[in-house]
C-alpha cells in the first residue's frame, strides 16, 4: 500500500513517524516554501504537482492507494486540489486538520476575515504590532506607515512589507515565558495571528491574555466538503489501517 501525506505541518511529520516500520510505502510531500524544512522520516518529495490534474497524474503514476491531506489549515489551494484529484482517481482521501483555537475568559480577540481585513482593524487597536502570520502576505500591512511591526517568520520576508519592522527568524514550538518576554521587551500592544490551532504556537495567546493585549485572529479559509476529517495523527493511522483492511472508503472516526 502506497500512502501520500501532503505535509508541511508537525502533524504530518508525526503521522510519518507513526507509520515508520509498518508494511506501507509512505511518501511525504512538501511545497518547498521553507529553505531548510524539518523533514519527516521516510521518502520525501518537494515541490508543487501542477494543480489538481498534476496531482491526479502523480497518484496514478505512483499507484497511490490513500492520501492524507495534513497540510496547514491556511493552505487552502492544495486541500481543494487534493479533493479534486482524489475524486478523479477514486483514491481514498482523509483530511488531518487540527481544530481552531477558541477564546477563553479574559481574551480580547478581534476576528478578521483575511489579512487585509486584519490590517484595517489594526490602527484602532495599537501602534506596536506582533505579526505572527508568516512571511507570505505581508503586503497587506505594507501601507501602515504609522505602525511598528515585530514580524516573526521561519525565513526572511521579501518586499512588499511594512516600512517600520524588525524581523525575528524563529519557528515553534514557543513557550509562554518566551512569548511574555517578547511582548514586554518590544512593548507590543496588539498581536496578529492566523487561527492555526495546535499547541506549538498557542502560548502567544495566553501571553497576550495575561498582558491585556488584544489579538486579531484571522479566520480559516473554507475547506472542501465531504472529505472525512480527523484532528489527531493517531486517528489517521486507524483510518489508513481500515483502508488497507477493507480496500474501501471508510468514514473518519
Ligand atoms: P496553498 O496555497 O494551499 O498551495 C499553493 C500551491 O503550493 C499548491 O497549489 C501546490 O502547488 C503547492 N503545495 C502546497 N502544499 C503542498 C504540498 N504539501 N506538497 C506539494 N505541493 C504543495 O499552500 P500554502 O499556503 O502556500 O502553503 C504551502 C505549504 O506550507 C503547505 O504544504 C502547508 O502545509 C505549509 N504551511 C503553510 C502555512 C500557511 O499559513 N499557509 C503555514 C505553515 C505551513 P501545485 O498546484 O503546483 O501542486
Amino acid at each position: 500500500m502506497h500512502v501520500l501525506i501532503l505535509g508541511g505541518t508537525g502533524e504530518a511529520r508525526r503521522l510519518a513517524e507513526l507509520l515508520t516500520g509498518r508494511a506501507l510505502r509512505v511518501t511525504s510531500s512538501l511545497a518547498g516554501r521553507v529553505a531548510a524544512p524539518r523533514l519527516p522520516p521516510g521518502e520525501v518529495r518537494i515541490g508543487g504537482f501542477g494543480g489538481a490534474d498534476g496531482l491526479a497524474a502523480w497518484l496514478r503514476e505512483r499507484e497511490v492507494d490513500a492520501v492524507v491531506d495534513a497540510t496547514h489549515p491556511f493552505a487552502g489551494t492544495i486541500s481543494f486540489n487534493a479533493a479534486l484529484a482524489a475524486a478523479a482517481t477514486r483514491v481514498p482521501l482523509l483530511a488531518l486538520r487540527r481544530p481552531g483555537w477558541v477564546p477563553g475568559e479574559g481574551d480580547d480577540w478581534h476576528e478578521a476575515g483575511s489579512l487585509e481585513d486584519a490590517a484595517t482593524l489594526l490602527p484602532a487597536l495599537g501602534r506596536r504590532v506582533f505579526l505572527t502570520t508568516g512571511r507570505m502576505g505581508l503586503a497587506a500591512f505594507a501601507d501602515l506607515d504609522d505602525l511598528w511591526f515585530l514580524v516573526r517568520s521561519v525565513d526572511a520576508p521579501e518586499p512588499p512589507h511594512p516600512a517600520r519592522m524588525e524581523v525575528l527568524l524563529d519557528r515553534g514550538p514557543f513557550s509562554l515565558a518566551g512569548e511574555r518576554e517578547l511582548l514586554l521587551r518590544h512593548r507590543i500592544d496588539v498581536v496578529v495571528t492566523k487561527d492555526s490551532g495546535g499547541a506549538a504556537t498557542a502560548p502567544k495567546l495566553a501571553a497576550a491574555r495575561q498582558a491585556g493585549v488584544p489579538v486579531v485572529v484571522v479566520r480559516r479559509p473554507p475547506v472542501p466538503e465531504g472529505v472525512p476529517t480527523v484532528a489527531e495523527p493517531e486517528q489517521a493511522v486507524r483510518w489508513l489501517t481500515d483502508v488497507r483492511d477493507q480496500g474501501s472508503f471508510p468514514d473518519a472516526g
Side-chain angles (χ1 to χ4, degrees):
M1 177 164 166
H2 187 189
V3 178
L4 174 66
I5 302 174
L6 298 169
T9 59
E11 288 79 2
R13 281 196 303 278
R14 176 80 187 124
L15 177 57
E17 281 166 16
L18 290 172
L19 296 175
T20 302
R22 295 182 185 237
L24 293 170
R25 177 177 171 201
V26 178
T27 306
S28 295
S29 175
L30 303 176
R33 298 278 186 282
V34 174
R38 281 183 190 144
L39 294 176
E43 275 182 62
V44 178
R45 65 162 301 286
I46 298 181
F49 295 95
D53 290 345
L55 177 54
W58 201 95
L59 298 180
R60 284 195 193 96
E61 281 162 21
R62 306 305 198 279
E63 298 182 347
V64 171
D65 299 293
V67 178
V68 180
D69 170 17
T71 56
H72 190 272
F74 279 78
T77 309
I78 188 73
S79 293
F80 277 91
N81 288 352
L84 288 170
T89 55
R90 302 192 58 74
V91 171
L93 168 68
L94 178 75
L96 167 56
R97 200 166 285 119
R98 53 179 107 125
W101 290 315
V102 282
E105 208 184 315
D107 277 323
D108 179 14
W109 285 13
H110 301 256
E111 227 181 74
S114 62
L115 292 177
E116 290 71 20
D117 195 13
T120 59
L121 293 177
L122 277 181
L125 293 171
R127 283 278 170 275
R128 297 181 63 82
V129 185
F130 183 22
L131 192 54
T132 66
T133 50
R135 73 188 169 101
M136 314 296 273
L138 288 187
F141 304 91
D143 293 336
L144 295 173
D145 293 335
D146 293 340
L147 308 189
W148 178 88
F149 290 84
L150 176 65
V151 173
R152 182 164 65 195
S153 57
V154 176
D155 289 318
E158 286 160 17
H161 54 60
R164 301 175 59 223
M165 72 167 190
E166 183 175 327
V167 176
L168 180 60
L169 296 182
D170 204 355
R171 61 176 136 199
F174 301 107
S175 70
L176 177 57
E179 299 295 57
R180 284 168 55 159
E181 198 272 328
L182 265 189
L183 297 189
L184 256 169
R185 176 152 47 97
H186 294 282
R187 292 178 287 117
I188 297 298
D189 51 19
V190 58
V191 175
V192 184
T193 181
K194 292 173 175 171
D195 179 15
S196 299
T201 59
K204 64 189 164 191
L205 303 170
R209 182 188 315 131
Q210 290 175 7
V213 165
V215 182
V216 177
V217 181
V218 181
R219 268 197 308 271
R220 292 178 171 202
V223 290
E225 281 177 26
V227 178
T229 302
V230 295
E232 302 292 339
E234 289 75 7
Q235 294 170 292
V237 174
R238 283 201 287 280
W239 181 86
L240 286 166
T241 309
D242 288 349
V243 171
R244 188 194 57 200
D245 294 348
Q246 299 166 16
S248 66
F249 222 127
D251 292 330

